[in-house]
Structures are given as structure tokens and as C-alpha cells.
């Protein structure tokens, strides 16, 4: 899969991502880092432990990564979760994780297809 095809799947603007990160090499570098960074796993675990301070930090970091890397399929629920946790609203955190998890899995799978 090409990088442009990847961004079609994520509902993002390929050209905007390239302008932001300057070239395909940089985008690929950061996508590869994203798949290995562990923030989503830590977010899941933090919510399970009810450690909402850590969950907020992870969600906030993921929000920034989604925005920077143009991961539009995941952006909206991650932004919503971040804002709920910022406001101290924790009752829906597990439900957000359930929504984000398959989106994250798709992105990781597609990044793997880029690397192949």
C-alpha cells in the first residue's frame, strides 16, 4: 500500500500531512514510531486500573499524535475521551476504549501494510 492509500483509509488529507511533516520519509518514520509507542496499551491499562490521571496523559498524547499524523479515523473518539478525562468525567472511559480499540487495530494493520 502506498502512503497516499493509507491516508485514504484513515479519511485524512494526505497533502496536509505531507505539508505538516515535510515529506513521506518523515511521515513513515513517525507512523512506525506510533505503532511501537505503547500509548494506547497504557491508556487501556490505566482505564482498567481506574488510574485516570495516567489515562488522561495517554489520551492527550494520542490526541496529539492523531492530529499530527492525520489519523482521522481515530481522532474524534480520542479527542472526546481526552476532554471527558480533563473534566474529571470517568464513567464513559471504558466505552471510549471499546470504540477506539478497533480503530487503533486498523491503523496498526495498515501501517504494517506500508512496511511490507
Amino acid at each position: 500500500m502506498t502512503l497516499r492509500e493509507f491516508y485514504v483509509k484513515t479519511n485524512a488529507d494526505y497533502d496536509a500531512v505531507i505539508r505538516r511533516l515535510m515529506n513521506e520519509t518523515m511521515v513513515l518514520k513517525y507512523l512506525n514510531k506510533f505503532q511501537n509507542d505503547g500509548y494506547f496499551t497504557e491508556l487501556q491499562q490505566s482505564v482498567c486500573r481506574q488510574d485516570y490521571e495516567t489515562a488522561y496523559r495517554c489520551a492527550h498524547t494520542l490526541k496529539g499524535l492523531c492530529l499530527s499524523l492525520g489519523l482521522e479515523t481515530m481522532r474524534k473518539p480520542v479527542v472526546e475521551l481526552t476532554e471527558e478525562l480533563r473534566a474529571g468525567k470517568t464513567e464513559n472511559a471504558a466505552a471510549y476504549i471499546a470504540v477506539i480499540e478497533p480503530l487503533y487495530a486498523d491503523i496498526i494493520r495498515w501501517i504494517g501494510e506500508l512496511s511490507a
Side-chain angles (χ1 to χ4, degrees):
M1 167 184 344
T2 67
L3 191 57
R4 187 175 292 277
E5 292 167 334
F6 171 86
Y7 277 105
V8 167
K9 287 183 180 226
T10 64
N11 297 321
D13 181 346
Y14 167 84
D15 295 320
V17 173
I18 293 298
R19 278 192 303 276
R20 189 168 37 257
L21 295 176
M22 303 202 309
N23 59 54
E24 281 196 4
T25 302
M26 291 299 287
V27 175
L28 289 168
K29 174 183 174 181
Y30 288 112
L31 285 173
N32 284 319
K33 284 185 175 201
F34 176 81
Q35 75 177 339
N36 297 312
D37 68 20
Y39 285 110
F40 181 69
T41 301
E42 188 173 353
L43 173 61
Q44 287 176 304
Q45 293 170 352
S46 298
V47 168
C48 284
R49 289 190 314 265
Q50 297 181 348
D51 175 1
Y52 296 114
E53 184 177 322
T54 300
Y56 168 74
R57 284 195 309 268
C58 291
H60 189 270
T61 299
L62 281 173
K63 177 180 94 168
L65 290 168
C66 287
L67 293 169
S68 295
L69 293 172
L71 304 176
E72 290 298 312
T73 54
M74 226 175 89
R75 180 191 53 78
K76 184 177 185 240
V78 170
V79 168
E80 290 171 357
L81 174 58
T82 302
E83 294 311 310
E84 290 228 352
L85 293 173
R86 181 190 320 269
K89 298 178 183 176
T90 59
E91 59 277 358
N92 295 322
Y96 276 107
I97 295 298
V99 169
I100 297 165
E101 187 171 21
L103 303 173
Y104 177 79
D106 285 343
I107 289 169
I108 295 303
R109 187 178 74 251
W110 298 331
I111 291 171
E113 291 175 16
L114 280 171
S115 302

